[in-house]
Amino acid sequence: MQKATAVTSPLLHFFCLVIISCRILLMHVVAAQNSSSIPVNVGVVLDLDTKFGKIGLSCINMALSDFYATHASYRTRLVLNPRDSKDVVGAAAAALDLIKNVQVQAIIGPQTSMQANFVINLGNKSQVPIISFSATSPSLTSLRSPYFFRATQNDSSQVKAISAIVEAFGWREAVPIYIDNEFGEGIIPYLTNALQEINAHVPYRSVIPSSASDDQISEELYKLMTMQTRVFIVHMPPSLGTRLFAIAKEVGMMSEGYAWIVTDGMTNLWILTEPPTIDSMQGVLGVRTYVPRTNELEKFRLRWKRKFQQENPTIINAELNIFGKWAYDATFALAMAIENVSMGNFSFNKTNVSNSGTDLESFGVSRNGPHLIQALSSTKVRGLTGDINFVNGQLQSSVFQIVNVNGNGERRVGFWTPKSGLVKELNSAKRSTNSTHEPNLGPIIWPGDTTSPPRGWEIPTNGKKLRIGVPVKSGYTQFINVTWDPNSRTATSVIGYCIDVFKAVVATMPYVVPYEFIPFATLDGKSAGTYNDLIFQVYNGTYDAVVGDTTIVANRSRYVDFTLPYTESGVSMIVPIRDNRRKNAWVFLKPLTWDLWVTSACFFFFIGFVVWVLEHRINEDFRGPPSYQAGTSFWFSFSTMVFAHRERVVSNLARFVVIIWCFVVLILTQSYTASLTSLLTVQQLQPTVTDIQELLKKGEKVGFKKGSFVEGILKGLTFPKSQLIEYQTLEELHDLFTKGSANGGISATLDEIPYMKLFLAKYCDQYTLVEPKFRTDGFGFAFPRGSPLVADVSRAILNVTQGEKMNQIEEAWFKKESSCSDTNTLVSHNSLGVESFWGLFLIAGVTSISALIIFAAMFLYEQRHVLFRFCSETPFWRRILFLSRIFDQRDLSSHTFKRSELGDKSRNDGVSIGVAGDSPNTNCPQSPSSYSNQTELGFVFLADQGRATENGDLTPSAATSPEIFPSSGRHPIELANTANSPREQLE
Ligand SMILES: *[C@@H]1O[C@H](CO)[C@@H](O)[C@H](O)[C@H]1NC(C)=O
Ligand SMILES: *[C@@H]1O[C@H](CO)[C@@H](O)[C@H](O)[C@H]1NC(C)=O
């Protein structure tokens, strides 16, 4: 044994020597290689006691070895100087030490946003780039340091994804719950803005101190429970977040109806394998940065895991997180950038550097800083998370994944991309276009294990049911009727129109609203106050709503929010009506206005005259003594009124006039008949008063319903108190009207239209509404201000009022006692005026006048020799006189006379002879007497000369008289005519 040992020991020594020398040789080779490259100091500031810090550092280390393995030829080599930093001060001290004493070219880290703030300022002053892969607070951007590079997504880049979820589920309110530090607060302005953009309201912000105890957290959560919002956005690190969810589960906030969204602050880091955590977070939605899974990434993960396990055997279950990947990528980019500026010298400008180790005031300035930030900004490398490219020191925004905690892990339910919003699949670029109600996400299991999305708010009640105040009324019980049990001092039933409408409305709402009616009553069942008092009870929280005939008016809406009205709106005046049919002796005059009467009468006279003119010369009916002629003419004209004119009209012109006139008369009489009929049958009812000012002037009394706001309107109209009388029931109102204003009653009342309709339904034939004078908005339900129920109830009211249901309810409550037809509206009657008929009169007038003109033209043409052939010295008036005399005579050339006097040829011949003999060569007569040398007079004149004559009864004196009118007073020709009228001859 001894010998053997002696032999082996020199051999062993030799081997050892060989191995050692080999190792020394190897070290020399490595040293030689290192010496050819330039070492560049880079600081790393991380909390190396935490798993997060350890993962980060190991990723940075792996990044460097991977980088130089693939880029062995690069001349620079990063030398890491890791520093541990527990808190803000530690990070600041570490950074200062690195900058001042190590003169690092860049610092990777620090870990948190709070630490980053000061370190960034240090870096800015010393021109040392700070590259953080985990400080996500957007507020860091506001430092505006060109030396700060963020190799991670800032928190504000996800707010759009969160607001898209809120919008997709139609939530109108959300409460952020966040940690009370720079990390927590940084996101809030961006989140609030994003929610505002989609019209979601942030009614409250819940701040949880990072050091909060469980009691403090549960106190805060209980507070949130009493509020109506049920959508919470949690933004905090996982350490606090998991505690929050554990307590939320305890207090019952992880149940149905609640929605929880967590930001990537938790989602990126959570490890959902620990049972208590995952149990308390069932149903939570999370937003996280999405990195596509690739083979390289998977290989790296395994490699990293093995290495990390070796280095940190005490840490189990370490998983590579997104920040580790970013740390890797940031290191990669930094190494690349430093290689690119290797021309510079990696030293510090050391003027004014104090020797004290941690003097904050004076330290060197990196000479290479400006070059390095330029290089970093232009560096583009392909990293684990994709292309790394800093724009303004920020990574470009990426895709977010939406996950849903469910069962033993998380389910991926969709993505959010800046371009297409929420999508189920990343590659199907289809945006959720069709409807906002169907979010384009995979199925989500919400808290409470339900698949139906939470409504987002809870009816804010103090108890389980909505406590609805209802008014207690003594009149108008159709609207609301509370039956009071005096023994138990409770309401046994609440019924009425308003209640039915409310029930119908609630039934059409998309969710169940439990409610109970609580009468606003004193202990003995009397009304406990006015409607304004009742409304105020909602404001001070006694009731959750008011249902009743509460009118929407401005001063009430300062305390409550009203729904849309469910009744007709407006305040109107109601007055008794008077039936003045048959009581008026002159009702027959009513159908036409007086000017139409006058115009018609004038036209009758005018037409009589026209017919006389046209007929006088040729129609025996229109001849005779002047009074007879006048009588006949007007008799003729007025008898057309009943189409009873007997006289024959022989002239075509007259016939034309009469036909047109008969047409006008027809229309006039028909219109008169129609108007009179409607006057006597339809317009039976007339309001006694039509204007409220009239009442005020006459000092008549006006009624108003007790407790109604109408009293205010009346007072606003300056009605004195003595003129106002209040009533409570419909019967009372009717009594007041019956008494009349003079006997302590009223002449009119003002009230809302729904009440007045009720009144009219009962006493329909005695009263009428006169047009609405005042706008109000009808009856609405009242809810506390800002109640989310208002919008939904209003929508439901619209559905009900537009549907058949409303008619049924109205029918049931208002129409059953009405025995009268719906004649509320007053048919206004207007007499017919000239303006309706002037067209007709125009036609008749134009016809008649043109007939006259044509007649006159023809007549003058026939008698043109009288006008023009006489001597010029004859005065004009004499000629006219002469013409009128001719006009007054029979036109013997007319066929009417010819036919009837066929046998009497001589007379006609005489005329023709006389006329023929005188015209047209007659010279100017010497004396005025020769005027009579025309037509009938003409042959008289000739007869004197000894020519043939037939009328022996002409007195010579008349014939020879120089005057045209004989002194006998009667026209000689007329005498002749009467003696020899064709009729007499025929008889
Ligand atoms: C260095 O310090 C001196 C005084 O201590 C000051 O006058 C000088 O401006 C400083 N130089 C720089 C570059 O800060
Ligand atoms: C956050 O990052 C996005 C890109 O991801 C950038 O557009 C935005 O300006 C950044 N906001 C802040 C406040 O840094």
Side-chain angles (χ1 to χ4, degrees), residues 548-571:
D549 44 349
T550 41
T551 310
I552 302 168
V553 282
N555 59 5
R556 288 176 184 170
S557 70
R558 279 192 306 208
Y559 301 101
V560 292
D561 273 354
F562 282 103
T563 62
L564 290 177
Y566 59 89
T567 58
E568 217 176 311
S569 56
V571 168

Side-chain angles (χ1 to χ4, degrees), residues 665-841:
V665 168
L666 177 75
I667 305 247
L668 264 183
T669 49
Q670 295 296 320
S671 308
Y672 176 85
T673 316
S675 182
L676 186 65
T677 312
S678 82
L679 193 71
L680 290 178
T681 54
V682 181
Q683 198 215 1
Q684 326 164 343
L685 315 166
Q686 197 138 47
T688 46
V689 194
T690 51
D691 188 9
I692 193 147
Q693 295 299 334
E694 205 178 309
L695 293 169
L696 189 60
K697 251 184 269 163
K698 288 189 192 160
E700 301 210 26
K701 301 216 171 76
V702 175
F704 67 90
K705 191 154 54 64
K706 189 176 177 192
S708 164
F709 67 94
V710 170
E711 185 180 3
I713 295 182
L714 287 169
K715 285 188 175 152
L717 288 169
T718 68
F719 272 94
K721 212 161 172 59
S722 59
Q723 239 174 291
L724 300 180
I725 293 185
E726 60 178 24
Y727 58 89
Q728 285 201 4
T729 62
L730 294 180
E731 292 73 22
E732 221 176 296
L733 176 61
H734 181 60
D735 283 348
L736 285 175
F737 269 126
T738 319
K739 274 193 224 160
S741 182
N743 307 318
I746 55 175
S747 301
T749 181
L750 230 66
D751 212 341
E752 286 163 84
I753 289 175
Y755 298 121
M756 291 296 95
K757 288 216 156 160
L758 192 61
F759 184 64
L760 286 178
K762 201 161 180 182
Y763 306 100
C764 58
D765 50 348
Q766 298 169 53
Y767 302 96
T768 188
L769 286 175
V770 290
E771 70 180 68
K773 292 270 188 197
F774 309 96
R775 272 192 60 110
T776 59
D777 263 331
F779 299 156
F781 304 129
F783 287 92
R785 289 192 68 163
S787 168
L789 273 173
V790 173
D792 287 339
V793 172
S794 291
R795 259 177 226 121
I797 285 176
L798 289 182
N799 280 340
V800 170
T801 49
Q802 286 171 6
E804 186 50 38
K805 184 83 186 149
M806 198 68 179
N807 289 341
Q808 290 170 6
I809 297 173
E810 276 180 8
E811 203 75 33
W813 288 102
F814 299 137
K815 292 289 160 63
K816 65 184 175 193
E817 52 186 311
S818 104
S819 56
C820 43
S821 60
D822 200 9
T823 53
N824 291 337
T825 48
L826 197 66
V827 179
S828 74
H829 182 88
N830 287 325
S831 301
L832 296 169
V834 178
E835 61 281 358
S836 325
F837 292 103
W838 67 264
L840 277 179
F841 287 121

Side-chain angles (χ1 to χ4, degrees), residues 888-899:
D888 197 30
Q889 288 164 8
R890 280 189 185 83
D891 181 1
L892 292 178
S893 64
S894 163
H895 66 98
T896 46
F897 295 126
K898 275 182 192 159
R899 209 190 307 139

Side-chain angles (χ1 to χ4, degrees), residues 138-139 141 150 153-157 190 394-398:
S139 64
T141 313
R150 201 201 298 265
Q153 293 289 320
N154 67 52
D155 287 333
S156 70
S157 52
Y190 300 93
Q394 303 265 348
L395 274 194
Q396 284 320 92
S397 151
S398 62

